[in-house]
Amino acid sequence: MIFRQLFEPLSSTYTYLLGDDRTGKAILIDPVISSMERDLAEIRRLGLTLAWTLDTHIHADHITAALELKRAVGSRIAAPAFDRLPCADLGIEEGRPFSVDGLELQPIHTPGHTDGHFAYLLDGRVFTGDALLIEGCGRTDFQNGDADALYRSVTDKLFALPDETLVYPAHDYKDRFVSSIAQEKKRNPRLGNGRSLEEYRDIMANLNLPYPKFIDHAVPGNRQCGVCPPDLPQNLAQYCSQMTHSPQG
Ligand SMILES: [Fe+2]
């Protein structure tokens, strides 16, 4: 399997490129609209064609590139069935593997950050979206977020995976790239080291985070699989314009 971890600096999002070298087909997990040209260039450079895009959830901090990639190269759109997006070509459900020419992902419903959130397991790697971040987790105060549900998603489902499973999150804000289930079970300050549900509830209720600055534009845009709002204020325009990336990108 071909695997690339791609970083989008404005929202500190990781996009994952999975490719099968026998069939030449690729999937992008959580592509970002402002980085789609960079992602497509990487896919072409590797001699792959983009078959599907797959989002972990309806993002509040960036616009997915799913729809624009479909327009550009004919890729199809997979998204959690829970969210009932009319623009999706396929609704992902737990217990039903998502298979694309040589790649098979196991979808894991991990509600709590959003109610429709999914993680995806593939060959010893788990793409955890915003359910489990490296020494952190997504916030639970918007989009039907629920701290109790996220606690159960992580401790009952993700922490039940083999210890050596590599954890690839949807974001990192401190230049970290990858963790493992064993490491998060030990080191995650919110959910690891035997934190109780009561302790976790308390932590999440006292984060005092600011209102997400892009959420009112991102969520409606992402419910349409990635439409940039026409009324975007100047200070947010960069979320919808193509980013120039360094060669290491
Ligand atoms: Fe999110």
Side-chain angles (χ1 to χ4, degrees):
M1 187 183 79
I2 296 166
F3 176 69
R4 292 288 184 280
Q5 184 175 23
L6 302 159
F7 186 65
E8 191 286 313
L10 190 59
S11 58
S12 297
T13 297
Y14 283 125
T15 295
Y16 297 98
L17 167 58
L18 315 173
D20 184 81
D21 40 15
R22 288 173 303 110
T23 64
K25 294 286 169 52
I27 303 173
L28 280 175
I29 298 178
D30 288 339
V32 180
I33 201 162
S34 56
S35 290
M36 68 173 267
E37 293 302 338
R38 182 273 312 265
D39 298 352
L40 280 177
E42 184 66 5
I43 288 167
R44 278 188 215 108
R45 194 183 68 75
L46 293 164
L48 299 168
T49 54
L50 183 65
W52 287 89
T53 59
L54 173 62
D55 275 277
T56 52
H57 64 293
I58 295 175
H59 303 278
D61 61 349
H62 67 264
I63 302 270
T64 174
L67 188 62
E68 288 303 319
L69 286 165
K70 180 176 186 168
R71 286 187 178 141
V73 297
S75 48
R76 293 201 280 167
I77 299 173
F82 186 98
D83 290 320
R84 300 177 194 280
L85 301 182
C87 51
D89 297 298
L90 180 77
I92 295 287
E93 291 173 309
E94 189 170 83
R96 201 187 316 151
F98 175 58
S99 298
V100 179
D101 308 285
L103 302 165
E104 186 171 283
L105 289 89
Q106 306 295 334
I108 307 169
H109 187 205
T110 44
H113 170 64
T114 72
D115 49 3
H117 188 286
F118 270 73
Y120 303 108
L121 179 66
L122 173 74
D123 292 341
R125 296 179 173 97
V126 62
F127 303 97
T128 53
D130 289 3
L132 179 62
L133 303 177
I134 299 172
E135 297 185 10
C137 65
R139 60 197 294 177
T140 54
D141 48 351
F142 291 97
Q143 299 179 275
N144 297 325
D146 178 338
D148 286 30
L150 189 53
Y151 182 88
R152 283 191 297 273
S153 292
V154 173
T155 59
D156 292 353
K157 290 187 169 179
L158 298 178
F159 284 178
L161 296 172
D163 274 355
E164 61 275 18
T165 309
L166 296 174
V167 170
Y168 285 97
H171 301 284
D172 194 81
Y173 306 95
K174 295 180 182 172
D175 297 325
R176 293 165 298 190
F177 293 85
V178 61
S179 180
S180 70
I181 291 297
Q183 183 168 313
E184 293 312 308
K185 274 157 85 174
K186 281 206 162 168
R187 290 179 54 108
N188 193 297
R190 295 183 185 172
L191 290 145
N193 209 10
R195 279 266 187 235
S196 69
L197 174 60
E198 290 69 30
E199 289 173 316
Y200 178 70
R201 259 187 213 142
D202 200 49
I203 291 167
M204 297 310 284
N206 290 291
L207 292 177
N208 299 316
L209 296 169
Y211 187 81
K213 62 181 172 190
F214 196 45
I215 189 169
D216 294 330
H217 300 286
V219 169
N222 287 330
R223 291 205 67 87
Q224 300 170 75
C225 294
V227 173
C228 276
D231 56 341
L232 207 55
Q234 194 56 39
N235 65 325
L236 299 173
Q238 52 188 337
Y239 282 91
C240 281
S241 53
Q242 282 302 306
M243 199 112 338
T244 44
H245 289 273
S246 64
Q248 292 79 24

